[in-house]
């Protein structure tokens, strides 16, 4: 594991940009960016369009390691280039932004109020490829839809089993058990989740540490114990469908937690903007998220 990257992720000021929209969420992301479905045919053209969006973001002078600690990439993005350099290499060498990779293959059907990750039989091969590409860490998402203790325990158990597999490959896992912001018992679900996470963290080996990516909690500062836990490198927050303004306002009430926003980061960006307008809008977004992440 790259020590300089680890130090930056552990103690640096800033946030992590989530640029990992996958097949299911890509059409919506493109539509919000001003690219209608009529502008492309089939998955190949769709992914070309979203790569162009991501490339424009990371190449912008507003996007650099002074305010952006890391960026989470989709697998296809890892295999592509930004401005003629492999994506992960470009992020670190050109921007001083630590590269992460989304490794999950989507969500299983809901059971016990949660959605586990689908099986990942090719994970070891993907992790090996990620190491060779210069990736520092990974991200994998499960979803909690209701305060069901059995389901939440299953989500955390699966996340940590896979997390240990990722650690063994020499990468830093971001454990992401998202609590659905529309859950009617979100507060109760977060209490069960925190208890399960603390138990799993306490059981980690002496040399094992992870990152956590969580929904912004209902109770301000609720994840302070996780932020302070010796096995946690960093706690980052997803926007989960909240607007950028709302996400920033809520995040600022949770000291020690930094952003890892996707939709809230790209909100207001458009394919139709001039480069000057695009860069100005991105700069404003990055600055607002940076400030909320460093309260």
């Amino acid at each position: 594991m790259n020590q300089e990257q680890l130090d930056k992720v552990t103690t640096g000021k800033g946030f992590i940009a989530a640029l990992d929209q996958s097949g299911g969420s890509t059409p919506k992301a493109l539509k919000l960016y001003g690219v209608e479905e009529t502008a492309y045919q089939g998955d190949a053209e769709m992914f070309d369009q979203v790569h162009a969006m991501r490339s424009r973001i990371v190449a912008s002078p507003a996007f650099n390691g002074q305010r952006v600690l890391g960026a989470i990439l989709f697998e296809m993005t890892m295999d592509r280039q930004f401005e003629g350099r492999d994506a992960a290499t470009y992020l670190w060498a050109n921007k001083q932004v630590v590269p992460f990779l989304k490794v999950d293959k989507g969500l299983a059907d809901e059971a016990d109020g949660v959605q586990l990750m689908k099986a990942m039989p090719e994970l070891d091969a993907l992790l090996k490829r990620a190491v060779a590409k210069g990736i520092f860490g990974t991200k994998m998402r499960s979803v909690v839809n209701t305060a069901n203790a059995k389901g939440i325990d299953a989500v955390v158990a699966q996340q940590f089993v896979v997390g240990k597999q990722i650690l063994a490959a020499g990468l830093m896992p971001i454990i992401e058990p998202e609590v659905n912001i529309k859950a009617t018992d979100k507060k109760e679900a977060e209490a069960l989740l925190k208890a399960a996470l603390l138990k799993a963290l306490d059981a980690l080996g002496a040399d094992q540490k992870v990152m956590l990516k969580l929904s912004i909690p209902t109770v301000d500062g609720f994840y302070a114990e996780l932020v302070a836990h010796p096995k946690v490198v960093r706690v980052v927050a997803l926007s989960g469908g909240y607007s950028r303004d709302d996400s920033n306002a809520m995040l600022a009430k949770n000291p020690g937690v930094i952003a890892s926003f996707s939709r809230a980061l790209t909100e207001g960006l458009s394919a139709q903007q001039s480069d000057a307008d695009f860069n100005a809008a991105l700069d404003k977004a990055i600055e607002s998220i940076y400030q909320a992440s460093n309260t």
Side-chain angles (χ1 to χ4, degrees):
M1 194 175 293
N2 184 306
Q3 187 62 45
E4 188 179 358
Q5 293 177 344
L6 177 60
D7 291 343
K8 180 158 194 166
V9 169
T10 304
T11 62
K13 286 189 173 183
F15 67 95
I16 294 175
L19 304 175
D20 59 330
Q21 300 93 344
S22 55
S25 58
T26 299
K28 185 173 183 179
L30 283 172
K31 188 176 180 67
L32 291 170
Y33 183 56
V35 178
E36 299 293 335
E37 292 188 40
T38 54
Y40 53 86
Q41 292 185 336
D43 286 352
E45 290 186 11
M46 178 183 73
F47 286 121
D48 285 344
Q49 290 279 0
V50 79
H51 187 70
M53 179 186 79
R54 291 166 177 153
S55 297
R56 196 180 189 194
I57 291 169
V58 302
S60 170
F63 189 96
N64 60 65
Q66 293 179 347
R67 294 179 294 181
V68 182
L69 295 178
I72 305 170
L73 304 177
F74 183 47
E75 183 180 346
M76 282 187 180
T77 310
M78 179 185 75
D79 292 329
R80 294 192 184 215
Q81 295 186 329
F82 296 136
E83 298 195 321
R85 302 189 77 172
D86 282 356
T89 300
Y90 176 87
L91 284 173
W92 183 242
N94 292 53
K95 297 286 187 166
Q96 286 291 287
V97 171
V98 179
F100 291 81
L101 175 68
K102 167 186 161 67
V103 295
D104 69 80
K105 300 302 180 184
L107 299 169
D109 293 337
E110 182 174 331
D112 297 318
V114 304
Q115 288 175 275
L116 298 173
M117 296 179 289
K118 290 180 179 177
M120 294 177 273
E122 307 299 323
L123 180 59
D124 282 333
L126 177 58
L127 297 177
K128 186 175 181 180
R129 199 152 54 82
V131 170
K133 287 281 189 180
I135 294 290
F136 169 78
T138 65
K139 188 213 82 160
M140 50 192 176
R141 173 176 171 261
S142 313
V143 174
V144 173
N145 290 313
T146 191
N148 182 306
K150 180 181 178 182
I152 290 170
D153 285 347
V155 160
V156 172
Q158 184 192 42
Q159 283 276 347
F160 275 79
V161 166
V162 179
K164 290 173 185 176
Q165 186 179 354
I166 291 162
L167 283 168
L171 295 164
M172 173 62 64
I174 299 178
I175 305 289
E176 185 184 7
E178 173 183 347
V179 177
N180 190 329
I181 65 169
K182 296 179 181 178
T184 56
D185 52 2
K186 179 172 176 282
K187 179 180 176 181
E188 292 76 14
E190 288 163 348
L192 291 170
L193 177 62
K194 183 171 77 169
L197 287 171
L198 287 169
K199 185 176 179 180
L201 290 166
D202 289 341
L204 286 175
D207 59 345
Q208 294 179 321
K209 292 185 178 184
V210 301
M211 296 174 64
L212 300 175
K213 182 168 179 174
L214 306 171
S215 303
I216 302 172
T218 304
V219 177
D220 297 342
F222 187 67
Y223 290 136
E225 292 165 88
L226 298 175
V227 172
H229 198 285
K231 295 296 183 181
V232 176
V233 171
R234 208 75 187 250
V235 178
V236 305
L238 56 102
S239 50
Y242 292 122
S243 70
R244 180 164 63 238
D245 286 347
D246 287 346
S247 296
N248 285 340
M250 291 184 291
L251 179 63
K253 297 175 183 177
N254 289 273
V257 180
I258 65 172
S260 178
F261 294 167
S262 175
R263 193 183 316 164
L265 171 63
T266 58
E267 181 183 310
L269 301 180
S270 169
Q272 287 73 43
Q273 288 168 325
S274 67
D275 285 345
D277 288 345
F278 178 90
N279 291 334
L282 181 60
D283 181 73
K284 182 179 179 181
I286 287 174
E287 180 62 20
S288 72
I289 297 169
Y290 174 84
Q291 293 297 336
S293 296
N294 292 281
T295 53

